[in-house]
Amino acid sequence: MKREDGSDVEGPGSARGGRWPWRQPDGCLVALPNRFRRRLTIAFVAVAGVASGALAGGSYLVTSHYRLSALAERAERQARVNLALTTARDSVAELDHLFNVYRELGGVETMAIAADGTVRSSLPSLGREDIPARLRRDLPDNDVLTAHADVAGNPYLVLAGRPRGSAVQLYFFFSRRGVLESLTTMRTGLLVGWLAIIGLAALVGRMVARATLLPVRATAEAARNIAEGLLSTRLPPGTDDEFGALASYFNRMADEVQQQIAALSEARDREKRFTAFAAHELRTPLTAMSTAASLLEEDIGELPERARRPAALLVSDVTRLRQLVLDLLELGRLDSGVDDVQLERLDVGGVVAEVVNAARWEADVRLDLASLEVVSDAWSLERILANLVGNAVRHGGRGVEVRVRAVGEQAVIEVRDAGPGIPEEDIPRLFDRFYTANRVTAGSGLGLAIVREHADRIGAVLDVPSLEGAGTTVIVSLPLCPGDNAAAPNRSVSIL
């Protein structure tokens, strides 16, 4: 891709490692951010993680409930069968041969407690203390109660009952170890699968986000290039989907913008050429007219009474026309950039005093100056001061004050007058060309425009904290020379 000046620049599609760099005019590469792609990937992972996690958790809960319920139902059926086989037996000694039968039928350990407290169990480690608290009471006849217990670290489902017509209490211990271990294995497998799905979702989400946002990033880079002045930037033809339509509309917009900017540039250049040509062509006849007007002004007292007023108006208008042409010529030189900025160390207070002394204004100008050094262009600084002070004298009358002081690292020049002030709505356009605020004395509207051009030329900052009816203050700020501005005594002078 080419800049307007013919230099190369990386265009859309030059991705490096997932980052879309664009090149600034100074040649530095700046990477576009990946925040939205990260958010899109995170959203993709979150949706996949929540969905798979809900499915895995639900599957585990359903399976766990089913397995434990099935164990409880099987244990209860087996316990009732065992109670039926033990009907009308009052001695625990009569039950020894049944314990092996119970174990073979249902894989259960049995404990029997006779009415006299005698305990007999199929497992030597089982004792009265292993019976859950809620089962240590009189048991109903031919009914079953259920509880859970841990015996030597092994989980059991305990069912208790009393056979019909017997005083013996039977306790059946069904092991839950196999069921719980299988559920633990299932839970571990589901967790590993869930983590694997999240990892896969992150990978797929990143790839999908990258592929989806590729046209968007290309569009952003192209917009950045156009903002940097590469008006020939265009997006490559896309597909027939929404991104293809976006590329088409973007290219149409870029074409229109390039045409409009070209037309505006041509109109601006044409206006500059016309202004410079007209001012230059007017300069020669205007010089002759000014000379004639000066001679006429010297002899105006010898003219007849009826001719004096038109002659005075003619002299005044020729003077205004001459100043207008000079201002136009100066603006033309500033627009064309034919004059380079000549930076040098300047004493701001001294420059102000020289400008005021050389102008010989009729009104008093009070100076409150500090000796402050700046690095600037002498011609531009003098033109700024001459126009501002001259404007204050013409529009503000007597009571004009110019103050130079240091504020932080800035040399501040304040030009104040006691005139009618400037309406607040006029301040934003005060430095526009041919714009005149509601002042007592009309002007061409070029003096302050020249001030702004010179201020931009030397990097000065302009501020107008003016209020209508309270006079006008224009502030010019320039960076001080570092280390060379020790506090100097101010001097106040009145110049006639």
Side-chain angles (χ1 to χ4, degrees):
M1 184 182 298
K2 298 287 186 180
R3 288 190 179 91
E4 298 304 312
D5 58 4
S7 58
D8 293 330
V9 66
E10 292 187 3
S14 56
R16 294 182 180 178
R19 308 281 290 180
W20 281 81
W22 61 283
R23 191 178 296 276
Q24 290 181 321
D26 58 2
C28 297
L29 286 177
V30 177
L32 295 176
N34 285 326
R35 290 186 293 271
F36 184 74
R37 186 172 71 182
R38 286 197 295 269
R39 291 198 299 269
L40 188 60
T41 303
I42 292 173
F44 196 93
V45 170
V47 171
V50 170
S52 60
L55 180 60
S59 300
Y60 175 77
L61 292 177
V62 170
T63 303
S64 176
H65 176 73
Y66 172 76
R67 293 291 303 276
L68 293 176
S69 298
L71 175 62
E73 292 176 1
R74 182 178 66 82
E76 184 176 354
R77 288 196 303 268
Q78 183 63 38
R80 291 186 183 278
V81 171
N82 294 345
L83 290 176
L85 294 176
T86 321
T87 302
R89 297 177 185 271
D90 293 328
S91 174
V92 294
E94 300 176 4
L95 301 178
D96 286 343
H97 69 283
L98 291 178
F99 287 171
N100 293 330
V101 175
Y102 296 158
R103 182 181 296 170
E104 292 176 0
L105 290 177
V108 60
E109 302 297 340
T110 309
M111 177 189 296
I113 301 178
D116 58 1
T118 303
V119 178
R120 186 68 60 87
S121 64
S122 62
L123 190 65
S125 60
L126 285 176
R128 186 189 296 270
E129 67 278 1
D130 295 321
I131 300 175
R134 66 184 301 264
L135 300 182
R136 297 176 184 179
R137 59 186 178 86
D138 291 336
L139 300 177
D141 188 15
N142 203 34
D143 197 4
V144 176
L145 298 180
T146 305
H148 294 89
D150 285 337
V151 179
N154 295 317
Y156 285 93
L157 176 65
V158 183
L159 288 85
R162 184 163 55 84
R164 187 185 301 273
S166 175
V168 176
Q169 295 182 351
L170 293 178
Y171 298 90
F172 304 102
F173 291 78
F174 292 87
S175 176
R176 301 170 64 230
R177 176 183 292 275
V179 175
L180 295 180
E181 288 180 349
S182 65
L183 291 176
T184 301
T185 302
M186 178 183 179
R187 183 175 63 231
T188 303
L190 290 174
L191 180 61
V192 172
W194 180 68
L195 294 176
I197 289 176
I198 288 181
L200 182 61
L203 179 61
V204 174
R206 183 176 179 83
M207 295 174 60
V208 171
R210 178 184 174 87
T212 302
L213 295 179
L214 200 61
V216 178
R217 298 181 70 81
T219 304
E221 183 184 357
R224 280 266 177 97
N225 288 335
I226 289 180
E228 290 296 322
L230 304 176
L231 301 181
S232 60
T233 301
R234 297 295 183 272
L235 291 175
T239 58
D240 294 333
D241 56 10
E242 290 81 356
F243 291 116
L246 174 63
S248 176
Y249 294 145
F250 180 89
N251 291 338
R252 288 173 56 185
M253 178 197 69
D255 291 338
E256 292 295 329
V257 169
Q258 187 175 17
Q259 293 176 7
Q260 292 294 331
I261 291 179
L264 290 174
S265 298
E266 183 179 354
R268 182 187 61 184
D269 293 341
R270 188 165 56 247
E271 178 185 356
K272 289 181 179 179
R273 289 194 301 270
F274 172 77
T275 301
F277 177 78
H280 185 271
E281 291 299 317
L282 286 173
R283 189 171 187 176
T284 300
L286 188 59
T287 301
M289 291 174 61
S290 298
T291 303
S294 299
L295 296 175
L296 181 62
E297 185 178 15
E298 294 177 358
D299 299 331
I300 198 170
E302 301 178 3
L303 296 176
E305 186 67 27
R306 295 179 57 185
R308 291 178 184 177
R309 177 61 178 169
L313 292 176
L314 177 62
V315 171
S316 175
D317 288 342
V318 168
T319 302
R320 289 181 57 193
L321 180 60
R322 179 176 179 274
Q323 186 60 45
L324 175 62
V325 172
L326 291 177
D327 288 344
L328 289 174
L329 284 172
E330 185 172 354
L331 283 174
R333 292 179 64 85
L334 292 172
D335 288 338
S336 61
V338 296
D339 297 314
D340 295 331
V341 177
Q342 303 292 330
L343 297 178
E344 56 182 306
R345 297 174 72 94
L346 300 173
D347 181 0
V348 179
V351 174
V352 172
E354 291 176 4
V355 170
V356 174
N357 280 322
R360 299 180 181 275
W361 283 295
E362 295 179 357
D364 287 346
V365 177
R366 177 179 172 81
L367 299 181
D368 184 6
L369 307 178
S371 181
L372 301 175
E373 285 193 343
V374 299
V375 176
S376 185
D377 182 86
W379 176 56
S380 290
L381 186 57
E382 290 172 359
R383 292 299 296 145
I384 290 174
L385 293 171
N387 281 2
L388 288 180
V389 178
N391 199 60
V393 170
R394 285 192 300 273
H395 300 296
R398 304 178 67 88
V400 177
E401 180 182 4
V402 182
R403 182 183 180 189
V404 176
R405 59 193 177 97
V407 178
E409 300 296 327
Q410 300 287 317
V412 176
I413 308 169
E414 297 180 357
V415 180
R416 301 177 180 175
D417 64 46
I422 301 174
E424 186 176 356
E425 62 272 12
D426 288 333
I427 292 179
R429 299 185 58 193
L430 189 61
F431 294 95
D432 292 350
R433 298 184 183 186
F434 298 104
Y435 182 79
T436 56
N438 186 18
R439 307 296 290 263
V440 175
T441 305
S444 65
L446 292 179
L448 292 181
I450 292 175
V451 168
R452 184 180 67 177
E453 294 295 333
H454 280 289
D456 293 342
R457 187 168 181 262
I458 62 175
V461 178
L462 299 174
D463 188 23
V464 186
S466 178
L467 293 176
E468 190 173 9
T472 301
T473 301
V474 180
I475 300 176
V476 183
S477 301
L478 285 166
L480 287 167
C481 292
D484 293 333
N485 288 288
N490 293 352
R491 60 180 187 272
S492 299
V493 184
S494 293
I495 298 178
L496 298 180

